[in-house]
Amino acid sequence: MRSKLIIVIFISLFCFAYTATGQKLINSPYSRFNIGTLQPEGSFRSLGMGGVGTAMRDNSSIYFTNPASYSSLDTMSFVFDFGIDYGRNYISGATSKYSSDDIDFHHLIMGFPLSKGWGLAAGIVPVSSGYYKITNTVTSSDPGYDPSIGEYSINHEGDGGITKIFIGSGIMIGKHLSIGANLNFLTGQLSRTNQFVFADFYNAYHNSSIESLELKDINFDYGIQYTTSFKNNYFLNIGASVTPGNNYNSKYNQLSLKYTAYSVSDTISYTANNSAQTFIPATVRVGVSFGKKNKFTTGLDYITTKWSSSIIPGSSGYAADTREFLFGAEFIPDRFSNYNYISRIEYRI
């Protein structure tokens, strides 16, 4: 019966990925490069604590960045975690400022125990967003205006994103050690359009370049956690997880052409590669958490990805390594209070 439930959950998540792909519409120029703007990872409780999760363990929460944490799920519980994300982006230059905002689906995660010390989780989470829209118009009053070229507009637009569907399990080995693994299915498409359009639309040749990168493949997460407890319900957890670097099956198409208002005039270049090489490098996470059971929790994570070694069609040379320090804390005045609701509220930063 339980195996049938697992199959139903995985199929449901797979179908859900094509109807709620988490396409954020935050207008950011950084989405032009690589696989787009990377989205913050984490479930509801994790994001409320700055995204920490590598060394976090809780019997009613899911920390999918380290699948070893699934072994802490309560034997009498079923965890369902759904997130809506609101974001606002500010961009400023020497002479102008711009802001955009958006609200959208963020994640859908569920988990349950298979037995004591052995848990399973599955979900769908965003990996990156490729949305952007940038326009620059040059008129006769601009300093960079050239009469031999005339007035024109340059338009850059992007759309799509990468989504991850995962299913994983974590199990305790002995009293203090847990290990786990996720099977991840990455899917999505990034589309980008660059246009050079003259103001004299009907009497000039205009340029357009269209490219798309489609990615569908699997990868894995591996995690380990060590936990120990002290007097008066104090605890210490240490964790590490890794997503190994992987070559992904992908398709890359690029078309450049010049055209008039009446018809396509000439193809400048065309590339269609149904077996393009896309390499996403490994992500390594280490973390520690300390606290008092049912009272407070603190966590610290360090995450690094060597993006400079990535191979992403259409974005060569634009990747830089990332290093993140994440910190979060949670405080609960009285989790089991029967008379004061305010005392049972969980405060996170």
Side-chain angles (χ1 to χ4, degrees):
M1 181 65 185
R2 190 176 292 272
S3 61
K4 292 181 179 179
L5 177 61
I6 294 173
I7 294 173
V8 170
I9 290 173
F10 190 72
I11 293 175
S12 299
L13 291 170
F14 185 84
C15 295
F16 186 74
Y18 289 94
T19 58
T21 55
Q23 173 59 60
K24 285 195 66 60
L25 301 182
I26 288 288
N27 195 351
S28 170
Y30 298 104
S31 297
R32 292 181 61 191
F33 307 108
N34 308 306
I35 59 171
T37 301
L38 299 176
Q39 300 300 299
E41 291 188 306
S43 56
F44 178 81
R45 188 180 182 220
S46 173
L47 292 173
M49 297 176 65
V52 295
T54 307
M56 300 290 287
R57 293 176 63 83
D58 185 77
N59 60 5
S60 60
S61 301
I62 301 172
Y63 299 95
F64 62 86
T65 54
N66 189 342
S69 65
Y70 306 157
S71 64
S72 65
L73 291 173
D74 194 293
T75 54
M76 301 297 291
S77 67
F78 177 87
V79 182
F80 182 84
D81 194 321
F82 177 79
I84 298 293
D85 178 54
Y86 171 78
R88 186 168 182 84
N89 191 40
Y90 293 92
I91 302 173
S92 62
T95 58
S96 61
K97 295 181 179 180
Y98 173 80
S99 66
S100 67
D101 58 351
D102 179 57
I103 185 169
D104 194 52
F105 159 81
H106 186 267
H107 67 267
L108 172 64
I109 308 169
M110 59 189 72
F112 52 85
L114 298 174
S115 64
K116 186 177 181 179
W118 183 19
L120 182 143
I124 172 174
V125 295
V127 175
S128 69
S129 171
Y131 177 82
Y132 62 89
K133 189 173 184 179
I134 306 168
T135 299
N136 182 38
T137 300
V138 176
T139 64
S140 57
S141 60
D142 292 324
Y145 174 73
D146 187 341
S148 62
I149 297 177
E151 299 181 342
Y152 63 89
S153 294
I154 301 176
N155 305 311
H156 304 285
E157 295 185 20
D159 199 3
I162 305 298
T163 300
K164 177 170 69 177
I165 309 167
F166 74 89
I167 183 169
S169 182
I171 188 170
M172 288 199 72
I173 300 176
K175 187 178 179 180
H176 301 284
L177 192 67
S178 295
I179 60 172
N182 284 331
L183 169 64
N184 305 314
F185 177 68
L186 267 64
T187 180
Q189 179 172 305
L190 299 166
S191 301
R192 292 164 178 150
T193 302
N194 304 300
Q195 290 183 315
F196 189 100
V197 181
F198 290 95
D200 188 4
F201 188 73
Y202 293 96
N203 298 297
Y205 287 100
H206 314 285
N207 291 333
S208 178
S209 176
I210 303 169
E211 65 174 332
S212 66
L213 174 64
E214 181 180 354
L215 188 150
K216 290 181 181 180
D217 212 332
I218 63 172
N219 68 3
F220 295 88
D221 302 321
Y222 304 101
I224 186 170
Q225 286 184 334
Y226 178 86
T227 180
T228 187
S229 56
F230 308 99
K231 292 181 179 180
N232 300 320
N233 288 325
Y234 286 95
F235 64 85
L236 174 68
N237 300 326
I238 301 171
S241 67
V242 61
T243 304
N246 191 46
N247 288 296
Y248 293 85
N249 292 322
S250 56
K251 299 179 181 179
Y252 177 72
N253 295 294
Q254 191 272 340
L255 172 65
S256 296
L257 51 86
K258 61 179 182 179
Y259 64 96
T260 67
Y262 309 101
S263 63
V264 175
S265 176
D266 188 25
T267 297
I268 300 174
S269 66
Y270 175 65
T271 300
N273 189 347
N274 291 330
S275 57
Q277 182 183 9
T278 299
F279 176 74
I280 297 180
T283 296
V284 178
R285 312 171 188 88
V286 293
V288 59
S289 66
F290 173 78
K292 184 175 183 180
K293 187 177 180 181
N294 299 320
K295 195 66 177 180
F296 76 91
T297 302
T298 59
L300 174 68
D301 279 11
Y302 172 71
I303 306 172
T304 181
T305 306
K306 194 175 181 180
W307 284 101
S308 58
S309 64
S310 65
I311 301 174
I312 301 171
S315 297
S316 177
Y318 290 109
D321 299 342
T322 59
R323 302 173 186 86
E324 302 175 71
F325 284 99
L326 310 178
F327 173 77
E330 174 189 72
F331 175 71
I332 311 169
D334 187 355
R335 170 168 279 180
F336 304 107
S337 174
N338 293 323
Y339 307 103
N340 190 339
Y341 172 74
I342 300 298
S343 296
R344 300 184 63 169
I345 294 178
E346 301 171 355
Y347 300 90
R348 303 186 182 105
I349 187 170

